[in-house]
Amino acid sequence: GVAWFEKKEYHKAIEDLSKLLRMDPYEDIGYSKRGDAWRALKEYDKAIMDYTIAIGIDPTVEFYWFDRSNTIHDKLEEDPGLPEKEIELAVKGYGESIRLDYHRQESYCYRGILLAVLERNEEASKDLEKALALDPTDDLARESLQYVKKKLTNEDTPTAVLLSEEDMQATREKAAAFLDKLRKHLDAKFKQAKEGYQHGFEITSYD
C-alpha cells in the first residue's frame, strides 16, 4: 500500500491498505496512510474518517491530528461555505497537534488562519505571532498576521455601516484564500518531518 501510494497509484494503495486493516484493524498507521490516499483522490470525508480512526487508536501521534485538520483545510479551499463545526474541528485538531508538539510552527500558522476565517481575530493574531516567533522567515505567516491586524484595526473603528451577508461571505473567502498559499509553502517542510517519523515502516510481510 505504501509503495503504491508513492507511485501515486492511490486506488491500488487503498486496496492493499484495506487488506492490511482487515487483518489488523488496530493498525493506526494503516488508517493514516489510507487517509492520505483518500485525500489525494479528494475523497475528503473518507480521509477524515480514516484519520479519526487512527486518532482513536493512538491519539498521541501528532501528525494524525495535523493531517485531519489539513484535510478539512482542503475542503475549505474548495468550499468557503464549509459549516463552522467542521472548521472548529480543524481548529481543535491543530490545538492537539500543538499540545503534542509545542514547537509545531505550521499548526500555529494554520490554526491562526482558520481562526481568522471564524472572525476570532484576537486568537488568530496570537497564533500567527507565535508562528513568526518560531520561524521569523515565514513571509506567509507575516502576511496573514498583517491581514488579521488590519481587520482588528477596522473592528476598533466605529462605523454605522453593517456588512451585508454578501460582504461577510467575501471577507470569509478572502481569509480562506490564504490557505492555498500557506499549504504550498509549508507542506514540503512538514512532509520531511512526517517521513522521518514513518521511516522504516513496511508492510511487506502482508504481501
Side-chain angles (χ1 to χ4, degrees), residues 57-120:
I57 296 170
D58 188 353
T60 68
V61 181
E62 180 268 338
F63 71 78
Y64 295 168
W65 296 96
F66 189 92
D67 285 351
R68 187 177 71 173
S69 293
N70 274 0
T71 303
I72 297 171
H73 258 171
D74 290 342
K75 289 185 68 176
L76 181 61
E77 288 171 11
E78 295 194 357
D79 178 16
L82 197 67
E84 286 192 8
K85 65 180 181 180
E86 289 198 60
I87 302 175
E88 291 283 4
L89 182 63
V91 169
K92 176 183 177 182
Y94 288 129
E96 286 299 307
S97 167
I98 291 167
R99 184 181 67 82
L100 292 164
D101 182 356
Y102 187 72
H103 297 289
R104 170 62 69 195
Q105 190 265 358
E106 298 94 332
S107 290
Y108 288 103
C109 235
Y110 282 97
R111 189 174 70 173
I113 294 295
L114 287 186
L115 289 168
V117 171
L118 293 170
E119 301 296 328
R120 291 160 58 180

Side-chain angles (χ1 to χ4, degrees), residues 70-204:
N70 274 0
T71 303
I72 297 171
H73 258 171
D74 290 342
K75 289 185 68 176
L76 181 61
E77 288 171 11
E78 295 194 357
D79 178 16
L82 197 67
E84 286 192 8
K85 65 180 181 180
E86 289 198 60
I87 302 175
E88 291 283 4
L89 182 63
V91 169
K92 176 183 177 182
Y94 288 129
E96 286 299 307
S97 167
I98 291 167
R99 184 181 67 82
L100 292 164
D101 182 356
Y102 187 72
H103 297 289
R104 170 62 69 195
Q105 190 265 358
E106 298 94 332
S107 290
Y108 288 103
C109 235
Y110 282 97
R111 189 174 70 173
I113 294 295
L114 287 186
L115 289 168
V117 171
L118 293 170
E119 301 296 328
R120 291 160 58 180
N121 295 315
E122 290 283 358
E123 296 171 79
S125 179
K126 291 178 181 178
D127 269 0
L128 292 166
E129 286 174 351
K130 179 65 175 180
L132 279 172
L134 291 170
D135 183 3
T137 68
D138 190 339
D139 291 335
L140 288 173
R142 182 176 295 103
E143 180 183 353
S144 300
L145 180 60
Q146 290 171 352
Y147 170 77
V148 170
K149 285 187 176 297
K150 182 178 180 180
K151 289 176 70 178
L152 285 170
T153 300
N154 290 339
E155 287 174 3
D156 291 338
T157 303
T159 177
V161 179
L162 296 178
L163 290 178
S164 67
E165 185 64 30
E166 291 78 11
D167 288 337
M168 289 294 291
Q169 182 64 20
T171 298
R172 186 174 179 179
E173 290 178 2
K174 184 177 179 182
F178 278 111
L179 300 175
D180 183 55
K181 295 167 65 178
L182 197 60
R183 167 83 16 71
K184 293 175 182 177
H185 182 68
L186 297 175
D187 268 1
K189 292 191 293 182
F190 180 74
K191 182 180 179 182
Q192 293 177 350
K194 181 176 177 180
E195 288 176 348
Y197 178 90
Q198 294 178 330
H199 179 67
F201 173 73
E202 296 180 355
I203 58 171
T204 53

